[in-house]
């Protein structure tokens, strides 16, 4: 009993706890003058990241900075067909650019195009409209976007509404750059990559509300021989456009072998 009274009286006589300052315990106070009032995201966006888009799903890439005026969209598969819808969203219920893309083999001929995104914010939406068995890999790049060459800018041809132009290429041409634009009117076009009679390897159906403010540039891979690019102006006759289709990458080894007869195949009765 006495021990309990002694313990309780000792506890009553103890001083209340005092919170010590950082300097008292040897902790250096941190200055907040170098910190801003913004929120830092935990994971920053990587321009070179590739995202797998399953069949029937949608993925979006948003850019709020007005400094982003162009983005490059690259779509590919593991060798299966590619069927996708690409849209540019600029404000609520405003789609200034959209396209439908079909590629027979997304590994051999990946889709590569440059989309203009002036006056941000802009959002690029990619929807895989293929089946679940046909996923695609999507990549949207905002830094170091490819630009048309000087030859592509200088060699343009007018395509009237409802007309078409065809551009055959040599087997040494590995890829082709296509540039379409108008004088400010809407742009409706169909770009086809043919290899053989009526054998579509890649098809792009394009719509742009202003072909001068938002021209379309794409790079088509053309492996093998017999490649022909066909550009069709699907708009009425009141909406002409200018098209420029020139080689982008040329295989110098193939052209050299063709000159010296390295890969030439001669048909007929040879040796008789």
């Amino acid at each position: 009993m006495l021990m309990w009274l002694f313990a309780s009286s000792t506890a009553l006589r103890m001083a209340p706890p005092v919170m010590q300052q950082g300097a008292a315990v040897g902790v250096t106070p941190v200055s907040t003058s170098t910190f801003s009032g913004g929120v830092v995201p935990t994971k920053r966006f990587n321009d070179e990241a590739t995202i797998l888009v399953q069949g029937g799903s949608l993925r979006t890439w948003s850019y709020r900075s007005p400094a982003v005026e162009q983005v490059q969209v690259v779509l590919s598969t593991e060798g299966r067909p590619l069927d996708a819808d690409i849209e540019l969203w600029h404000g609520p219920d405003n789609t200034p650019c959209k396209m439908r893309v079909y590629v027979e083999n997304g590994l051999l001929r990946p889709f590569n195009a440059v989309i203009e995104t002036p006056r941000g914010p802009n959002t690029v939406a990619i929807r895989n409209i293929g089946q679940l068995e046909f996923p695609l890999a999507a990549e949207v790049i905002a830094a170091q976007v490819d630009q048309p060459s000087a030859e592509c800018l200088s060699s343009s041809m007018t395509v009237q509404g409802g007309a078409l132009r065809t551009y055959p290429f040599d087997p040494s041409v590995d890829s082709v750059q296509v540039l379409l634009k108008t004088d400010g009117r809407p742009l409706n076009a169909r770009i086809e990559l043919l290899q053989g009679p009526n054998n579509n390897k890649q098809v792009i159906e394009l719509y742009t509300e202003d072909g001068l403010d938002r021209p379309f540039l794409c790079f088509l891979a053309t492996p093998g021989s017999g490649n022909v690019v066909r550009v069709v102006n699907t708009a009425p006759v009141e909406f002409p456009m200018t098209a420029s289709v020139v080689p982008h990458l040329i295989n110098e080894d193939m052209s050299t072998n063709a000159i010296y007869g390295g890969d030439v195949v001669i048909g007929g009765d040879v040796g008789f």
Side-chain angles (χ1 to χ4, degrees), residues 16-49:
V18 179
M19 183 176 293
Q20 297 179 352
Q21 300 294 331
V25 295
V27 179
T28 305
V30 180
S31 175
T32 59
S33 60
T34 58
F35 294 93
S36 60
V39 178
V40 180
T42 57
K43 182 178 180 181
R44 296 184 180 273
F45 178 78
N46 186 5
D47 290 336
E48 298 181 356

Side-chain angles (χ1 to χ4, degrees), residues 148-186:
S149 63
E151 181 185 2
C152 184
L153 294 174
S154 60
S155 59
S156 60
M157 179 182 298
T158 301
V159 182
Q160 299 293 337
L164 63 89
R165 293 289 185 273
T166 57
Y167 304 86
F169 289 95
D170 192 76
S172 61
V173 178
D174 287 340
S175 65
V176 175
Q177 49 184 327
V178 180
L179 177 62
L180 304 181
K181 58 183 178 179
T182 65
D183 56 355
R185 306 180 190 184

Side-chain angles (χ1 to χ4, degrees), residues 193-212:
L193 175 60
L194 306 174
Q195 194 173 21
N198 297 325
N199 187 8
N200 290 327
K201 298 298 183 180
Q202 185 169 350
V203 180
I204 304 172
E205 295 180 357
L206 171 68
Y207 164 76
T208 301
E209 69 174 7
D210 190 340
L212 181 62

